[in-house]
Amino acid sequence: QVQLVESGGGLVQPGGSQRLSCAASGRSVSFATMAWYRQAPGKQRELVAFITNSGNTNYADPVKGRFTISRDNAKNTWYLQMDSLRPEDTAVYYCNANSLVGLRIDTYWGQGTQVTVSS
């Protein structure tokens, strides 16, 4: 079994910064991609950013230039640095990882962490 555990959520003022972490534990797995998703009340879950095992990154348009995804392979942990936060960034943030087993893709999710941007 593989578990993903997020940390770092909470309340932050508009314009502020926050860093989320996602740590993988359990069975040793090599992840092909690591990502962050978010889901605001009444909205669908959406991809925020992902990073590949080769270090390539991609971001959703609303967060480009403000959020940065990174990974620490030695710790099997990845991060989402969020700067210049806006009220519309308020959501539950989920970390996600995919591993390739032959032709099969195994997907893992964290439990989610609430980020609230409000004055």
Side-chain angles (χ1 to χ4, degrees):
Q1 286 283 14
V2 175
Q3 294 83 39
L4 305 184
V5 178
E6 299 112 338
S7 60
L11 175 65
V12 62
Q13 291 190 341
S17 298
Q18 201 162 47
R19 189 175 85 152
L20 304 181
S21 301
C22 182
S25 63
R27 182 168 54 89
S28 178
V29 174
S30 176
F31 297 123
T33 62
M34 299 174 174
W36 289 95
Y37 286 73
R38 67 185 182 186
Q39 187 167 19
K43 295 188 177 181
Q44 290 189 331
R45 189 174 298 188
E46 62 178 3
L47 176 65
V48 175
F50 72 82
I51 184 168
T52 68
N53 57 7
S54 59
N56 294 320
T57 59
N58 207 335
Y59 298 90
D61 285 343
V63 307
K64 280 182 180 177
R66 300 187 298 121
F67 290 12
T68 303
I69 189 171
S70 61
R71 61 191 290 175
D72 184 334
N73 291 334
K75 296 181 179 179
N76 223 9
T77 300
W78 57 108
Y79 309 93
L80 185 67
Q81 177 66 40
M82 304 183 291
D83 299 318
S84 302
L85 282 161
R86 305 167 181 169
E88 53 264 39
D89 295 318
T90 295
V92 177
Y93 283 72
Y94 298 89
C95 63
N96 161 278
N98 293 301
S99 66
L100 300 178
V101 183
L103 298 179
R104 189 183 79 234
I105 298 176
D106 290 340
T107 299
Y108 306 94
W109 291 93
Q111 80 284 359
T113 185
Q114 177 70 47
V115 173
T116 302
V117 184
S118 175
S119 54

